[in-house]
Amino acid sequence: MWRVVAYTLPRAKVPRSRVCCLQPAQKGRSLLAGTTAPLVHATQSLSMNLGIQKVEALDTGHFVRVEWEDGSESRYPCVWLRDNCQCPQCFLRSAKARRLLIEDLDVNIVVKEVAVADRRKISITWPDEHASEYEAEWLKKRCFSEEARAEMRENLFLPECQHWGSDLQLPKLPFEEVMYNDESTYKWLCTLKRVGIVLLTGAAARQGELVKLGHRIGFLRLTFYGPTWQVQDKADANNVAYTTGKLCFHTDYPVLQHPPGVQFLHCIKQTAAGGESQVVDGFHVSRMLKKQNPQAYQILTSTAVDYTDIGVDFCDFAVQCKQRIIDVDSRGEAVRINYNNATRDTVFDIPAEKVRPFYAALKEFDDLLNSAEHKFTYKLKPGDIVTFDNWRVLHGRQSFPSDSEVTRHLEGAELMGCPLPRAASLTK
Ligand SMILES: C[N+](C)(C)CCCC(=O)O
Ligand SMILES: O=C(O)CCC(=O)C(=O)O
Ligand SMILES: [Fe+2]
Ligand SMILES: [Zn+2]
């Protein structure tokens, strides 16, 4: 069973049980929530069709205990039950959103009466005579047990993350399939989430393909480099990417407070000599650094590094930001890499004695990124589109000979929002 969560597929033929946002209002256009939820994913499967055996109030009415037909039980806090009353007064079904105001919620509420109806639902009467009903299936999914919450988390956030090194089997899908076949689009995004990179092949070798791809699942994000941008050798380049020079491993736009989650690079023309691409799994390398040198890891996960980008492109811009090289979750695991050596500012707002240790830590991280066992090298061909998780995968390219003609041309773009749910901090 699949459901659309945050984005729609135009003309989607997603298996329909929970397809919820494909219809009328936005016909032919894709919807996009600026959220961190996946395009489509599996719903819970285990908890279906289990009837209710018995229901009772516990703990002087602060909990409701449900006993299921298979003998298992779930306990629901009354304050949560009252908060999640599904009646039209408390819940706006058309928006799937809570109408009840927190100011009208009594956090010490207890049930007055609770009963089972037909094994399929429970009904509660509250002290003020407000009546609520909860379906068995709805309740089972929201059970507070460790296992049920783990299952829900799995379904909502697709946390599976396969680390890789030079052994990467670069996932590939035909561009056409992703454009026209919903199952392939789904596969693309799930793989992007799990592996962090997918190569789409067989696009036309001309500008415009990224706009089509972006519209397939949402829309592109506009930055000061334009809705899409042309990576080629330019006179008076306003970015090191627009030269023939080598680009060491970087993430794009650490200068933005919330860097794009997904980047697209479409090869339109490729040089014969040089210009190879390199990628590395930043989450994997971060874990290696943590193991190898916890002190260096500590520095990179705590030091605020200044980034700057000033120039003229789609508009005049002067952008400034502080980022840690490695952002971590509550367990100290990497959740976002923010590293572009080119836009790292000359200004460095830390005490002088901390500067050299910072550089030493950065160098150690960079050495690990570049170690033969971690990096993966490939060369884009005209018509290839590399799509990658810009919070996780660092990318680079080899230099190539300069020429009076344009010998190498990529079109790039960033996706608006993020179809890849981020919930590392919630998972083990
Ligand atoms: C390719 N471009 C110029 C849009 C962005 C390059 C990455 C960066 O400056 O952070
Ligand atoms: O030229 C390439 O292969 C990569 C370009 C790049 O990383 C960028 O434009 O940010
Ligand atoms: Fe880049
Ligand atoms: Zn209600």
Side-chain angles (χ1 to χ4, degrees):
M1 213 189 302
W2 314 106
R3 65 174 167 166
V4 172
V5 173
Y7 297 66
T8 65
L9 298 169
R11 302 173 305 280
K13 287 184 257 74
V14 177
R16 299 203 55 91
S17 62
R18 297 277 308 262
V19 172
C20 49
C21 41
L22 298 173
Q23 284 110 9
Q26 299 283 328
K27 216 184 253 168
R29 296 173 75 201
S30 53
L31 294 179
L32 179 141
T35 68
T36 54
L39 179 80
V40 270
H41 62 66
T43 54
Q44 304 231 173
S45 52
L46 296 177
S47 53
M48 303 297 162
N49 300 322
L50 199 56
I52 298 166
Q53 183 99 10
K54 191 177 153 195
V55 63
E56 61 184 337
L58 290 182
D59 190 20
T60 58
H62 282 292
F63 278 85
V64 166
R65 175 180 175 273
V66 172
E67 195 178 307
W68 303 97
E69 271 173 343
D70 67 356
S72 62
E73 63 157 41
S74 304
R75 288 170 189 230
Y76 301 96
C78 286
V79 63
W80 175 84
L81 285 165
R82 181 62 193 89
D83 183 41
N84 291 289
C85 176
Q86 297 290 291
C87 86
Q89 207 182 316
C90 299
F91 195 78
L92 179 60
R93 192 154 292 280
S94 56
K96 295 176 235 21
R98 185 177 296 106
R99 292 182 94 144
L100 185 71
L101 308 178
I102 194 83
E103 66 202 49
D104 295 332
L105 179 70
D106 172 5
V107 300
N108 297 312
I109 197 163
V110 292
V111 297
K112 188 176 167 201
E113 271 169 53
V114 55
V116 189
D118 196 22
R119 299 191 156 236
R120 298 305 329 150
K121 56 185 173 192
I122 67 169
S123 47
I124 292 177
T125 308
W126 302 101
D128 66 355
E129 300 304 324
H130 190 84
S132 307
E133 285 190 340
Y134 309 88
E135 304 278 345
E137 194 179 303
W138 185 95
L139 281 171
K140 188 83 173 103
K141 271 190 193 170
R142 290 160 180 78
C143 171
F144 283 88
S145 74
E146 183 56 53
E147 308 77 61
R149 287 188 293 114
E151 187 183 340
M152 182 58 94
R153 216 181 289 142
E154 196 74 27
N155 286 324
L156 290 176
F157 294 99
L158 307 175
E160 193 194 348
C161 175
Q162 289 172 357
H163 285 202
W164 47 265
S166 58
D167 58 340
L168 172 69
Q169 305 275 311
L170 181 57
K172 293 179 188 169
L173 280 170
F175 175 73
E176 286 290 307
E177 261 186 38
V178 165
M179 284 304 297
Y180 299 109
N181 179 289
D182 294 339
E183 300 296 335
S184 300
T185 314
Y186 178 59
K187 192 169 166 199
W188 167 42
L189 293 173
C190 289
T191 310
L192 195 50
K193 178 66 176 54
R194 197 177 61 251
V195 184
I197 181 166
V198 177
L199 186 74
L200 306 181
T201 58
R206 61 174 124 80
Q207 289 184 40
E209 298 293 79
L210 294 189
V211 173
K212 291 188 210 161
L213 186 63
H215 286 173
R216 173 68 171 137
I217 54 161
F219 45 86
L220 298 179
R221 173 168 171 185
L222 177 60
T223 74
F224 41 87
Y225 285 106
T228 69
W229 26 269
Q230 311 310 315
V231 182
Q232 51 187 220
D233 189 22
K234 296 175 189 173
D236 299 320
N238 62 4
N239 194 284
V240 296
Y242 303 155
T243 68
T244 60
K246 172 180 159 126
L247 301 179
C248 66
F249 280 125
H250 67 280
T251 57
D252 282 351
Y253 296 103
V255 78
L256 296 179
Q257 192 66 51
H258 192 275
V262 176
Q263 293 294 103
F264 298 155
L265 282 172
H266 173 207
C267 178
I268 292 168
K269 191 167 187 193
Q270 184 61 286
T271 164
E276 292 84 1
S277 302
Q278 295 194 314
V279 283
V280 63
D281 183 349
F283 291 176
H284 182 62
V285 171
S286 295
R287 204 175 274 177
M288 294 297 144
L289 180 68
K290 189 181 186 183
K291 224 192 274 176
Q292 175 176 304
N293 188 340
Q295 180 63 29
Y297 190 75
Q298 207 282 327
I299 292 173
L300 296 187
T301 55
S302 61
T303 308
V305 175
D306 295 86
Y307 283 99
T308 188
D309 204 358
I310 298 174
V312 183
D313 199 303
F314 185 68
C315 59
D316 289 14
F317 58 91
V319 188
Q320 199 70 32
C321 194
K322 285 181 187 290
Q323 300 274 13
R324 290 171 293 264
I325 301 287
I326 304 172
D327 269 330
V328 294
D329 62 17
S330 53
R331 298 156 313 150
E333 287 272 311
V335 290
R336 190 170 85 197
I337 312 298
N338 307 289
Y339 179 36
N340 185 336
N341 207 51
T343 55
R344 190 165 51 73
D345 203 347
T346 49
V347 169
F348 198 7
D349 179 14
I350 66 170
E353 63 277 11
K354 294 198 167 174
V355 169
R356 205 165 61 89
F358 168 80
Y359 278 97
L362 184 61
K363 191 72 173 226
E364 192 153 336
F365 182 53
D366 198 79
D367 286 347
L368 278 179
L369 294 172
N370 282 289
S371 85
E373 77 183 285
H374 293 143
K375 68 180 171 193
F376 176 83
T377 303
Y378 65 105
K379 190 163 177 172
L380 289 166
K381 288 193 265 301
D384 285 348
I385 298 173
V386 62
T387 65
F388 58 92
D389 182 343
N390 186 52
W391 286 17
R392 170 179 172 190
V393 173
L394 296 96
H395 61 288
R397 68 137 193 258
Q398 299 295 9
S399 64
F400 55 98
S402 47
D403 200 292
S404 49
E405 310 233 309
V406 172
T407 59
R408 187 177 185 277
H409 176 196
L410 310 185
E411 179 166 55
E414 28 275 334
L415 194 58
M416 181 67 206
C418 176
L420 317 176
R422 311 283 174 184
S425 62
L426 297 174
T427 60
K428 280 215 213 64

